[in-house]
Amino acid sequence: MERIVIVGGGLAASRTCEQLRSRGYEGELVMLCAEPHPPYDRPPLSKAALLEEEHDSTFPTDYAQLSVDVRLGVAATGLVPDARTVQTTDGELSYDALVIATGASPIRLPGPGRQFTVRTVEDAAQLRAELKPGQRVVLVGASWISAEVATAALRRGCSVTCIEAGPAPLSAALGADVGQRFLPWWSEVDLRLDTGVAEVTETGVQLANGEQVDADVVVTGIGVRPAVDWLSGSGIALDTGVVVDEHLRTSLPGIYALGDVAVRWSPRWNTRIRVEHWDDAREAARTLAGVLLHDPSSQDPLPVHDPVPYFWSDQFGHKIQYVGHHSPEDTLVIRGDGTPQWAAAWVDAEGRLTAHLSIDAPRLMIDARMAIAAGARPDEAALRDPQAKLAPPRGR
Ligand SMILES: Cc1cc2nc3c(=O)[nH]c(=O)nc-3n(C[C@H](O)[C@H](O)[C@H](O)COP(=O)(O)OP(=O)(O)OC[C@H]3O[C@@H](n4cnc5c(N)ncnc54)[C@H](O)[C@@H]3O)c2cc1C
């Protein structure tokens, strides 16, 4: 392969460059990065970057040393697979292999008023400038991002209202039973549950029931859409993102996708999953480099990307850690129910641990991740007791 083109300038793109070079790829490597900055880390944008004026989460990667041709401010606008060509805002570019790592963009609400989202450094800097003491901040959606923004806004002396369509914070991701357990953390937030927002107005938001809620700052945290517009008409298979198999191969030859934009086949979960987690983007890059450089004449199997997903969130002075992947049919078991050290576990119909959520307890997260990876079926007593190990002893 003489030229690998990577479209996207985030974690997945940056790590793919590093991994390819560290595994000995010597061909041309071009990274098209729509943003005007070299790749940077996003998790701090809804955390430290809302508190610290000079926060900089740029990756320390030396692209010149890696001989990566980084084209800042250049976006892919189209794909012509038969010609193995990408159309860009700076002309056409041919490739031998193409990596799609364009991430996702926040979903916005309708309406004429200004609404903030948090995806880029500019978003974070603009929002930080608004978070002044006494400002009335309205958050739409009690999501992971909103919880982190609420934490920062309260710390900066703002008054915070959060309007959530579901019955509890984080209920879209974790269900109402778990979400309700977080309510005490939201005690300083005017949290309005089961309430829809119709639009963002000049003076705040208008609720679905017609009521107007005034705000100085409106922040929308209702999810993201994969950045796939530029692929329309290319013939590539799309679902809730770019469809890839467990080797990160798309439906078109020579084209791969990873990170937030990809929806991948997971043999572990026997379904397609789109994982919008930092850890997944990083790990996928390692696998993808192995797939791209795989020698078909060797006996080595093609690398598979199918880790146990891992996600964390820092909110209200706590660290939440979630591992695995649960479906609505799984059974929820609260560990240490009624104690401050509670955790949540999900098991499937066969009793297999599918997911686990813990708070300020990295040890529990590590144990649960090993248990899920091992396909463990912990007994009821172990599930209920957060002190009990879920992972089978090593060597078994
Ligand atoms: C505010 C925030 C907080 C987060 N916190 C956590 C956390 O606490 N824990 C956790 O596990 N995960 C967290 N995440 C998720 C994590 O950051 C993402 O999973 C990760 O950034 C995905 O990396 P990516 O490279 O796939 O996509 P991105 O980081 O979105 O990068 C995609 C890049 O591609 C560029 N691009 C898009 N379209 C084009 C185009 N047509 N041409 C060229 N370039 C293009 C974009 O501009 C962007 O720079 C957070 C995300 C955000 C936004």
Side-chain angles (χ1 to χ4, degrees):
M1 259 180 305
E2 288 180 16
R3 181 190 285 163
I4 298 176
V5 173
I6 300 174
V7 184
L11 173 64
S14 179
R15 289 286 296 187
T16 301
C17 292
E18 289 174 18
Q19 288 290 322
L20 281 167
R21 288 301 188 218
S22 75
R23 283 161 188 254
Y25 173 66
E26 290 180 348
E28 202 182 334
L29 204 43
V30 182
M31 182 165 67
L32 302 179
C33 184
E35 293 185 65
H37 323 278
Y40 56 87
D41 218 9
R42 282 177 217 279
L45 299 183
S46 49
K47 307 176 181 73
L50 295 181
L51 298 169
E52 300 160 12
E53 299 300 321
E54 300 299 328
H55 192 85
D56 181 0
S57 60
T58 309
F59 295 126
T61 312
D62 185 340
Y63 300 99
Q65 209 226 328
L66 292 178
S67 297
V68 181
D69 177 359
V70 181
R71 305 198 186 169
L72 297 180
V74 177
T77 53
L79 170 65
V80 188
D82 290 346
R84 292 211 165 215
T85 298
V86 187
Q87 292 157 338
T88 83
T89 49
D90 192 32
E92 284 190 351
L93 188 63
S94 64
Y95 60 82
D96 298 303
L98 179 73
V99 176
I100 299 172
T102 45
S105 324
I107 296 170
R108 301 179 74 80
L109 284 167
R114 181 168 190 199
Q115 61 185 297
F116 290 85
T117 53
V118 191
R119 188 79 199 179
T120 66
V121 275
E122 288 82 4
D123 293 342
Q126 286 165 12
L127 178 57
R128 184 181 59 226
E130 297 289 330
L131 298 181
K132 298 183 205 116
Q135 288 281 82
R136 296 164 304 169
V137 176
V138 167
L139 306 170
V140 183
S143 58
W144 300 109
I145 296 268
S146 294
E148 296 184 345
V149 173
T151 304
L154 289 171
R155 226 181 266 177
R156 290 181 75 109
C158 304
S159 71
V160 181
T161 299
C162 179
I163 298 162
E164 162 60 43
L170 308 176
S171 52
L174 303 175
D177 288 356
V178 174
Q180 273 161 7
R181 290 170 186 265
F182 294 111
L183 283 172
W185 294 1
W186 293 74
S187 60
E188 290 175 61
V189 175
D190 176 8
L191 179 61
R192 307 201 192 170
L193 299 171
D194 297 312
T195 307
V197 173
E199 64 166 2
V200 182
T201 64
E202 305 285 3
T203 54
V205 296
Q206 181 166 355
L207 305 184
N209 63 13
E211 188 191 331
Q212 168 78 27
V213 178
D214 290 341
D216 302 305
V217 184
V218 176
V219 186
T220 311
I222 54 172
V224 294
R225 274 199 197 98
V228 295
D229 288 356
W230 64 283
L231 294 166
S232 76
S234 67
I236 200 164
L238 300 173
D239 181 359
T240 54
V242 178
V243 174
V244 293
D245 65 8
E246 65 269 37
H247 309 295
L248 304 168
R249 298 178 296 192
T250 71
S251 60
L252 298 175
I255 306 183
Y256 307 79
L258 78 169
D260 283 11
V261 76
V263 53
R264 64 179 159 83
W265 175 253
S266 166
R268 185 189 298 280
W269 309 105
N270 199 30
T271 187
R272 266 188 201 158
I273 56 175
R274 191 160 79 82
V275 182
E276 297 164 19
H277 302 168
W278 186 92
D279 189 63
D280 195 81
R282 195 185 60 147
E283 286 305 309
R286 188 199 304 267
T287 305
L288 180 56
V291 170
L292 282 162
L293 303 180
H294 182 255
D295 176 358
S297 65
S298 77
Q299 297 297 311
D300 300 337
L302 203 53
V304 168
H305 178 65
D306 197 21
V308 176
Y310 164 66
F311 172 82
W312 82 94
S313 171
D314 297 325
Q315 49 182 274
F316 303 107
H318 299 278
K319 182 176 285 296
I320 300 180
Q321 293 176 300
Y322 175 94
V323 283
H325 172 77
H326 74 273
S327 71
E329 294 78 43
D330 292 350
T331 303
L332 167 67
V333 180
I334 299 297
R335 314 186 73 199
D337 201 2
T339 71
Q341 281 78 43
W342 67 275
W346 285 264
V347 288
D348 67 13
E350 279 87 51
R352 206 172 297 115
L353 185 68
T354 55
H356 189 275
L357 175 119
S358 52
I359 299 154
D360 301 328
R363 186 186 58 78
L364 292 192
M365 184 279 291
I366 293 166
D367 174 49
R369 198 174 196 183
M370 290 195 306
I372 296 168
R377 297 166 198 237
D379 62 34
E380 175 87 15
L383 275 176
R384 295 228 171 255
D385 178 6
Q387 302 304 322
K389 280 219 174 284
L390 300 177
R394 279 196 186 168
R396 279 226 220 142

